[in-house]
Amino acid sequence: MSSSIASPMRVPTSSATPQKFAAPSRTSSKMDRFIPNRSASNLDSSQYNIALEMRDVENTQQNVASSPSKEYKKQLAANLGTDASARVLAFKQKAPAPPEGHSSHLAALYSANATDMKSSKKFRAVPSQPDRILDAPDLVDDYYLNLMDWGSSNKVAIALSQTVYLWNASGGDIQQLLATENDSYVTSVNWAGDGRHIAVGFSDNNCQIWDAERLRPIRNLGGHSSRVSSLSWNNHTLSSGSRDSTIIHHDVRVRDHIVKTLRGHQQEVCGLKWSPSGSQLASGGNDNMLMIWDARHDGPTHTLTDHQAAVKALAWCPFQSNLLASGGGTADRSIKFWNTTTGVCLNSIDTGSQVCALQWNRHEKEILSSHGFSQNQLCLWKYPSLAKVAEMNGHTSRVLHLAQSPDGTTVASAAADETLRFWKCFGDGSSSRSSQGKSVAKAASGMSSSLLRTVNIR
C-alpha cells in the first residue's frame, strides 16, 4: 500500500512492535486517539464475568418478585385496615350497603350504553294427551270425505254415516241436526262464517244449507252428477267439489244459485279451501293435482303437479296471505308450502306417512298435521324451519279430520277408530305477547272478523 494514503488506525501484526503506516502529524499530541491493544485482552474471561453478573441480577429480581418482604406486607395491611393474614379479595359476604340517599356520579356513565336485553324465549309445553275424548260411532273411514268442522259459534259438526250431530263445546250438549233417508249418507260439512248456517253435502249429488239454531233446512243446491265430497264458504258464495271432478260456485242469495263451474281436475275434488281474503281458491284432487283459482277467472291460475298422491289436506296461512300448505296421500307423504302468487314451492318435508289434514296455529308460526298408517299421529311443526315441535299419539287408526276452535287454542281430531279427541296444542294465546305472536294474532283476528259477516240465504 502507498505511504501517501493516511490511515487513522493501526492494525496489530505478529511482531511485538506495531508497524507505522503514516508518520505522526504535528497535531497528534493534541488528539485523544486511544486504541486498545487487543492482544493484551482476555476475551473469554471477560465474557464469563459479564454472564455471572447478569445471572446474579436475575436471581435478585426473582427473589424480590416471589417473596415480598414482611415489612411490605405489614405496611400494606396497615394502609388497607385489615389483618395481615386475611385475604384482601375474599368473596364470602356481600358488600356493605351504601348510605341512604347516596347516588354515584358514575351511574350515568355505566348506564349510557345500556340496552334492553331480549327476554329469553319461553318454550311452551305441548300436551301429549288429549283434553277430552268423545265417541264417534259409524264415522265413515273414507280419505276423500270431509266430515267435521268447528264453527264460530263454538259448535262442532260431525257426520256419522247418515246423521249429522252438533256438539256444543261451551256447554257439552249434543243435538241431532239431520238424518238422511234411503241409502244416502253425508259426505261433507262446512260452517258458514256467521256460525249459524251450515252446508252439508250428500252422496246423492246434492248439498243443503241448514239453520243450526232452528235445526231445519233452508234450501237445496244441486248441479253435480256425483257425490259432493268437499265444501268451502266465501261470504255469500258456497263452493262445492265433487267426484264428477267439477267445482261449482253457488250464490245462496239468488234463485239461480249456480254462478260458475270450474273444470280442471280429472278425478274427485277432495280438498277445497278459500283463502282468508276470498281472492283465491285452492283445490286438491285424487288426480294428484293442486290447483289455484282466481275468484275473477274461470281457469286455474296455477296447476301444481309436485304431489305424487291425492291432495286432500289444504290450509291457508293466517299470517301470510299468499302462503298455502298442502299434504299428499300414502304414495306422497309430504307437506309442501306454496307461494300462490308465483306458483313456486317454497319448502317440502317428508312426514313418513299419509297426510290427512292440516291446521295452522294462529298464535305461533306453527302448523299441525294428522297422519295415517303406521303411527296415526298428530305432528306439530315449526315454520319455516319445519322442526318437529311435538308429536301426539292416541288414535289407533288414521286421523282423517282436523278442526280448530274459534279462539285458536284447541284442535279436534276425528279418526277411523271412531273417536274424537280434543288437543290443547296451540296454547292459550299468552305467547302472542311477543312481537311475533302479536303479528300472527292480529292477522288471525282480521281473518276471523272477515268471516263473521252475516250470510243472507233465500
Side-chain angles (χ1 to χ4, degrees):
M1 182 178 292
S2 174
S3 60
S4 62
I5 300 176
S7 174
M9 298 181 63
R10 297 178 183 179
V11 180
T13 61
S14 57
S15 61
T17 304
Q19 181 181 359
K20 293 184 178 180
F21 286 89
S25 63
R26 297 177 182 178
T27 60
S28 60
S29 59
K30 300 180 182 180
M31 299 177 62
D32 185 7
R33 299 178 60 214
F34 174 75
I35 299 175
N37 188 353
R38 302 283 184 180
S39 60
S41 302
N42 190 342
L43 298 179
D44 294 337
S45 177
S46 300
Q47 184 177 3
Y48 172 76
N49 292 331
I50 292 173
L52 186 62
E53 292 179 0
M54 292 180 64
R55 191 180 305 138
D56 294 339
V57 172
E58 291 178 358
N59 292 337
T60 303
Q61 291 177 349
Q62 291 179 358
N63 292 335
V64 172
S66 60
S67 302
S69 63
K70 294 183 179 180
E71 185 65 25
Y72 173 76
K73 288 184 177 181
K74 188 181 299 184
Q75 292 180 1
L76 181 62
N79 291 331
L80 294 176
T82 59
D83 186 6
S85 61
R87 295 179 59 186
V88 177
L89 298 177
F91 300 98
K92 295 182 179 180
Q93 56 186 2
K94 294 183 179 179
E100 185 177 357
H102 173 75
S103 61
S104 174
H105 65 281
L106 297 177
L109 175 64
Y110 288 108
S111 62
N113 296 327
T115 57
D116 295 335
M117 298 296 293
K118 293 183 179 180
S119 59
S120 58
K121 185 172 179 58
K122 297 180 179 179
F123 293 94
R124 58 186 181 83
V126 179
S128 59
Q129 299 297 324
D131 187 59
R132 183 190 294 264
I133 302 177
L134 299 178
D135 290 328
D138 299 326
L139 180 70
V140 179
D141 184 7
D142 192 330
Y143 176 79
Y144 304 101
L145 305 184
N146 295 271
L147 303 178
M148 183 177 67
D149 196 22
W150 201 330
S152 59
S153 59
N154 206 20
K155 292 182 179 180
V156 178
I158 180 72
L160 304 179
S161 186
Q162 296 182 311
T163 309
V164 175
Y165 293 96
L166 303 179
W167 180 73
N168 191 332
S170 301
D173 56 301
I174 301 174
Q175 293 176 308
Q176 177 179 315
L177 179 67
L178 63 90
T180 63
E181 299 176 354
N182 303 325
D183 295 332
S184 176
Y185 59 93
V186 180
T187 54
S188 55
V189 294
N190 190 244
W191 282 98
D194 59 1
R196 176 176 178 176
H197 300 94
I198 184 171
V200 183
F202 300 93
S203 61
D204 60 1
N205 315 339
N206 294 316
C207 63
Q208 295 179 345
I209 299 176
W210 282 70
D211 188 329
E213 293 184 357
R214 298 181 181 179
L215 303 179
R216 65 181 182 88
I218 297 177
R219 68 177 302 179
N220 295 321
L221 303 173
H224 288 291
S225 59
S226 187
R227 69 179 187 180
V228 181
S229 50
S230 55
L231 296 165
S232 182
W233 285 91
N234 182 17
N235 293 329
H236 56 267
T237 300
L238 174 65
S239 299
S240 58
S242 171
R243 184 182 273 177
D244 63 12
S245 74
T246 64
I247 302 170
I248 296 180
H249 293 335
H250 308 269
D251 190 338
V252 299
R253 301 171 299 176
V254 297
R255 180 176 181 179
D256 298 329
H257 53 86
I258 299 179
V259 294
K260 190 178 294 185
T261 301
L262 306 179
R263 292 179 173 87
H265 287 281
Q266 304 300 319
Q267 295 187 39
E268 183 171 14
V269 181
C270 51
L272 202 62
K273 282 288 190 300
W274 277 100
S275 65
S277 63
S279 60
Q280 289 183 313
L281 174 68
S283 64
N286 194 27
D287 52 7
N288 307 347
M289 288 195 298
L290 170 63
M291 292 188 175
I292 308 298
W293 309 79
D294 192 291
R296 300 165 295 179
H297 304 132
D298 296 337
T301 306
H302 302 289
T303 300
L304 309 172
T305 59
D306 292 25
H307 284 290
Q308 304 301 314
V311 183
K312 176 200 172 187
L314 298 173
W316 289 93
C317 180
F319 52 83
Q320 187 172 333
S321 60
N322 62 343
L323 178 60
L324 173 71
S326 62
T330 305
D332 183 80
R333 306 175 304 180
S334 70
I335 303 173
K336 299 185 185 298
F337 299 86
W338 307 88
N339 183 326
T340 58
T341 303
T342 61
V344 174
C345 182
L346 304 175
N347 211 338
S348 178
I349 183 171
D350 187 353
T351 65
S353 58
Q354 180 186 51
V355 182
C356 300
L358 294 169
Q359 285 287 334
W360 284 94
N361 186 347
R362 282 184 262 162
H363 304 294
E364 295 285 345
K365 291 187 176 182
E366 298 171 345
I367 188 169
L368 180 70
S369 59
S370 67
H371 300 272
F373 182 81
S374 61
Q375 297 185 17
N376 309 311
Q377 79 280 26
L378 282 74
C379 294
L380 186 62
W381 311 87
K382 197 73 177 175
Y383 185 83
S385 65
L386 298 184
K388 186 182 290 187
V389 178
E391 184 172 303
M392 290 158 281
N393 298 285
H395 285 291
T396 58
S397 187
R398 58 181 178 176
V399 187
L400 295 168
H401 314 288
L402 291 178
Q404 189 173 169
S405 63
D407 61 1
T409 62
T410 306
V411 173
S413 61
D417 59 7
E418 299 185 348
T419 63
L420 265 69
R421 296 170 189 258
F422 295 82
W423 313 82
K424 294 188 72 68
C425 55
F426 285 170
D428 56 0
S430 60
S431 57
S432 62
R433 295 173 184 173
S434 63
S435 58
Q436 173 180 312
K438 286 180 180 178
S439 63
V440 175
K442 183 178 180 181
S445 63
M447 177 193 66
S448 300
S449 61
S450 65
L451 292 178
L452 292 178
R453 301 172 183 173
T454 302
V455 179
N456 296 320
I457 301 175
R458 296 182 181 178

